Amino acid sequence: MYDSWESLRLDCLKCEKCDLCKTRHNLVFGVGNENAEVMFVGEGPGYNEDMQGEPFVGRGGQLLDKYLEYVGLDRKKNIYIANMVKCRPPENRDPSAKEQDMCITWLREQTRLIRPKIIVCLGRISAKRLIGDSFLVTKDHGKFIEKGGILFMGTFHPAALLRNPNNKPAALDDFIALREKIQEVCEHTYDL
Ligand code: URA
């Protein structure tokens, strides 16, 4: 258990718990406000993230930033963004269950330090792992579920929206529902 971001980050940056460390250029720890009430969890770094060491900086990330902006959220100001796995899976394949198992301790520590009120799962990988294995994005997106004092909501992965733009209006509705939930349960997100 960590009581400082600095020691957590330093230990995480040297992680060699799974083979993804062998092919990474950069470990992608996370970005945003460490006192955020709202946390977003994606799947794992892609090419651009691996090169730059920051989550969601490719085309999907640009789309995510647009949705965030629409509901008054900003990765530099009032949210925190992390991934299920911190190192890029080769060829952007799904992270294996074992890789997720190895990596989830870092995410747990991040969550423990942030103590978010809301966690938004971006896509099926994080939603299945954090909300429940039966989660289906097309059916369950936008629903808030309380677990251990945190509200979880799953929505479409930005890369999936780029592949299938038909789901963009539904994704926007999820972000609008998120804004309403923030107004209901958060104290300072919209004051930051
Ligand atoms: N996809 C993710 O799930 N996370 C990133 O950081 C980038 C792309």
Side-chain angles (χ1 to χ4, degrees):
M1 294 234 279
Y2 289 84
D3 49 24
S4 94
W5 277 98
E6 207 37 41
S7 50
L8 174 60
R9 180 191 291 276
L10 286 176
D11 278 0
C12 184
L13 288 176
K14 357 183 244 238
C15 180
E16 294 185 348
K17 285 196 277 187
C18 81
D19 282 351
L20 295 184
C21 72
K22 295 185 183 152
T23 45
R24 73 179 174 224
H25 290 93
N26 285 291
L27 184 142
V28 180
F29 181 71
V31 68
N33 187 330
E34 293 159 0
N35 297 310
E37 295 168 305
V38 186
M39 189 170 170
F40 288 76
V41 181
E43 177 178 325
Y47 172 81
N48 293 292
E49 291 76 22
D50 177 52
M51 287 308 194
Q52 296 181 41
E54 180 170 331
F56 288 103
V57 290
R59 274 182 68 227
Q62 287 163 19
L63 181 62
L64 175 64
D65 283 339
K66 279 194 198 155
Y67 282 98
L68 292 172
E69 190 186 350
Y70 188 80
V71 296
L73 300 175
D74 180 339
R75 66 169 74 201
K76 293 203 176 70
K77 220 169 76 182
N78 54 5
I79 57 166
Y80 192 87
I81 307 180
N83 279 310
M84 286 306 301
V85 296
K86 307 280 186 252
C87 300
R88 182 190 184 203
E91 315 299 330
N92 295 344
R93 63 163 169 76
D94 287 352
S96 69
K98 186 160 165 247
E99 288 157 356
Q100 291 184 51
D101 287 346
M102 293 288 124
C103 212
I104 202 165
T105 45
W106 300 121
L107 184 66
R108 284 210 186 100
E109 292 292 332
Q110 287 173 303
T111 309
R112 224 175 43 78
L113 289 178
I114 295 174
R115 296 196 293 120
K117 290 194 159 44
I118 300 175
I119 294 182
V120 178
C121 299
L122 296 167
R124 126 191 99 80
I125 297 281
S126 60
K128 278 189 174 290
R129 186 68 196 234
L130 303 180
I131 298 175
D133 200 41
S134 62
F135 187 94
L136 277 177
V137 181
T138 44
K139 186 162 77 64
D140 300 320
H141 71 92
K143 295 179 189 163
F144 288 88
I145 291 151
E146 203 258 11
K147 276 178 87 176
I150 299 175
L151 285 167
F152 288 82
M153 186 265 269
T155 187
F156 300 87
H157 192 284
L161 293 173
L162 291 173
R163 283 193 303 271
N164 186 358
N166 290 342
N167 287 324
K168 283 186 177 179
L172 192 60
D173 285 345
D174 293 349
F175 277 80
I176 292 168
L178 172 64
R179 179 172 59 196
E180 283 166 13
K181 193 56 84 181
I182 292 171
Q183 285 162 343
E184 197 185 312
V185 305
C186 292
E187 280 151 31
H188 58 243
T189 296
Y190 284 132
D191 301 329
L192 291 172

